[in-house]
Amino acid sequence: MRRTLAAVSCGAALLFPMVAVTPARAATTVTNGGFESSGTGVASPPGWTTSGTASADYTETGGRSGSYRLTHWSSSAYTVKTSQTLTGLAAGPYTLSLYVKNGGGQGSVYAGLENCGGPAAQTALPVTADWLKLVVSANVSGGSCTISLYSSASAGNWASFDDVSFAAGASNLSIKGADVSTLAKSEAYGGVYYGSDGARRDALSVLRSSGANYARLKVWVRPADGYNDKAHVLAMARRVKALGMGLLVDFHYSDRWADPGTQTKPASWASLPFDQLRQAVYDHTYDVLNALKAQGTTADMAQIGNEINDGMLWEDGRASANFGRLAQLLNAGSDAVRAVSSSTKVVVHLAEGGNNSLFRWFFDNARNNGVRYDVIGASYYSYWHGTLAAMQANLLDIRSRYGKPVFLAETAYPFTTGNDDGEPNIITAATPYTGYPATQAGQAAMFRDVLSTAQAAGALGAFYWEPTWTAVTGNGWDPENPGSGNGWDNQALFDFNNRPTAAMAQFAHP
């Protein structure tokens, strides 16, 4: 991903199962889970118990699938919990599923499972004007478990809940990753990183200890600055695997950034006839992955192209002009992956994670042209790619339509509107996405809610894009210009004092 201001869209044994949700053993009925048993304006609806500000808990019209929903709201400050205890439960994991809307602004608002025999499990409600699915899992050991819908808010803040269900089985993210492609160059040019205790530490170790379990590394063919080439990917892969992390290798098939607006061939491939270009894709992919395997750091996933909305290696591989040729290039990469390791999963990755029509167009064509791949990756930047609900709907649709696991290959959010170098920031708005200010708290909430939204869609997980790309002289965005700066420093997960931002803790998301 290197985005410009005009057009910016940028795992050791396999660490994730290809299904992110533990199969349910049996459903357990929630009484009045759709809030249809009471009509409108009823406080503490049948089947549910209210504690706290009773008047702030009531049903109203506008349900997701029926006529009614539960809403928390009051004209004065309030704290309210709507709960229901289920009994007769066999020991084991269970998952609460529900749909929510939320206007934001609360001190705390969550859905959770409590008094289940172990620690309470909660998921915060994202700010969303559209119905959004959430899930939260807990282990039950005492035969009962309480569903809790909780709000603590100022006057006028609201949250709505509907279609609450509870079933045996667990839902967890198997990928909580970080793209650390710029880290080696940062370190070489003097970049330093600290833990939250102020002690100098290895940035990759900070990410790992925070809960990150996967690393993503891009590879260019012959980059002008010498970084993000095979040698640097090999060196970083040794560090990644030594920490027990999974490894995703992101092939750009370029000497520099490849994204939806730029898919430039490597200079050494520019004049190749198509058959030789296809062979070059195979040879380059095989060379990098086989070298990784030879040193004992086999890639867990390999991405054939980066944000290839309209293909790659233009003009030969432009999807809108000749998808058949793009399919041949993708299959050359895919075949190289499988020739090196049958365990390495092949990823096809698009940007615009909330754009379902794009994904349907591309992957319908991929199916019709026989593209061989295992996993679908999507970039999702909330300030560019639509609402959280649109992203979730897209992930749900493409999982079902194509029968492939899905994950977010890129996401990020700013923690400040400040700038730590002379390069203008790519994102400068005080509130780039409604309800999430460009603050440490806002960045943490957005990363948390992206993870929760993807989890409820059944996604494998997500990668935070370039959390270590702090402002370091010499480590700018342009590999051909040593004097270029970094427009991403306000979206890293290390602040301008090189300490972890509050969002770093979200890698611990279950």
Side-chain angles (χ1 to χ4, degrees), residues 69 72 78 100-106 108-110 124-132 151 153 157-161 434-436 448-449:
R69 58 181 169 178
H72 290 173
Y78 64 93
V100 302
K101 289 186 177 184
N102 177 28
Q106 297 91 342
S108 178
V109 57
Y110 65 81
L125 269 61
V127 180
T128 173
D130 303 308
W131 286 111
L132 188 72
S151 300
N157 297 137
W158 64 273
S160 292
F161 310 82
T434 300
Y436 298 83
R448 176 199 68 201
D449 292 348

Side-chain angles (χ1 to χ4, degrees), residues 45-294:
W48 298 87
T49 300
T50 302
S51 59
T53 312
S55 61
D57 162 286
Y58 59 91
T59 55
E60 63 177 348
T61 57
R64 173 186 166 269
S65 61
S67 299
Y68 304 103
R69 58 181 169 178
L70 174 75
T71 291
H72 290 173
W73 178 88
S74 178
S75 59
S76 58
Y78 64 93
T79 297
V80 64
K81 180 184 286 188
T82 308
S83 60
Q84 182 174 150
T85 299
L86 303 176
T87 60
L89 303 176
Y94 289 81
T95 295
L96 168 68
S97 300
L98 71 163
Y99 288 82
V100 302
K101 289 186 177 184
N102 177 28
Q106 297 91 342
S108 178
V109 57
Y110 65 81
L113 296 175
E114 303 172 346
N115 305 316
C116 303
Q122 300 172 352
T123 185
L125 269 61
V127 180
T128 173
D130 303 308
W131 286 111
L132 188 72
K133 184 180 180 181
L134 291 179
V135 296
V136 60
S137 298
N139 284 311
V140 173
S141 61
S144 65
C145 190
T146 299
I147 299 169
S148 295
L149 313 177
Y150 176 87
S151 300
S152 178
S154 300
N157 297 137
W158 64 273
S160 292
F161 310 82
D162 205 359
D163 295 340
V164 181
S165 62
F166 183 84
S171 173
N172 301 105
L173 294 175
S174 51
I175 295 177
K176 291 171 283 188
D179 188 313
V180 291
S181 297
T182 63
L183 178 57
K185 189 174 180 181
S186 173
E187 293 170 335
Y189 280 83
V192 295
Y193 303 88
Y194 299 92
S196 56
D197 59 357
R200 184 170 173 176
R201 303 195 184 282
D202 171 65
L204 196 58
S205 294
V206 174
L207 289 161
R208 182 68 175 118
S209 64
S210 298
N213 63 3
Y214 239 93
R216 181 175 185 248
L217 300 173
K218 70 170 174 277
V219 58
W220 291 335
V221 179
R222 292 183 182 174
D225 63 359
Y227 288 89
N228 300 118
D229 61 355
K230 181 176 77 169
H232 284 91
V233 168
L234 289 170
M236 282 299 299
R238 290 192 291 269
R239 294 171 60 182
V240 167
K241 291 290 189 171
L243 289 170
M245 302 173 76
L247 174 63
L248 166 58
V249 178
D250 174 15
F251 288 92
H252 282 227
Y253 301 112
S254 182
D255 293 332
R256 55 183 294 120
W257 304 97
D259 57 43
T262 308
Q263 295 284 338
T264 305
K265 292 177 184 175
S268 57
W269 301 4
S271 301
L272 294 179
F274 182 75
D275 286 350
Q276 294 182 30
L277 180 65
R278 183 176 57 196
Q279 187 65 44
V281 170
Y282 181 97
D283 291 345
H284 172 62
T285 308
Y286 185 95
D287 179 48
V288 173
L289 295 179
N290 194 51
L292 286 164
K293 180 181 179 181

Side-chain angles (χ1 to χ4, degrees), residues 309 350-363 378-381 384-395 397-398 402 408:
N309 297 19
L350 308 185
E352 299 184 47
N355 186 346
N356 184 241
S357 61
L358 166 67
F359 277 73
R360 281 193 170 207
W361 172 81
F362 187 98
F363 286 102
S379 294
Y380 177 71
Y381 297 94
W384 289 327
H385 294 157
T387 64
L388 290 164
M391 177 265 282
Q392 184 177 83
N394 183 44
L395 295 183
D397 180 67
I398 60 178
Y402 305 110
L408 297 180

Side-chain angles (χ1 to χ4, degrees), residues 16-23 172 174 399 405 458 460:
F16 63 87
M18 299 317 289
V19 177
V21 180
T22 303
N172 301 105
S174 51
R399 276 188 65 223
L460 297 170

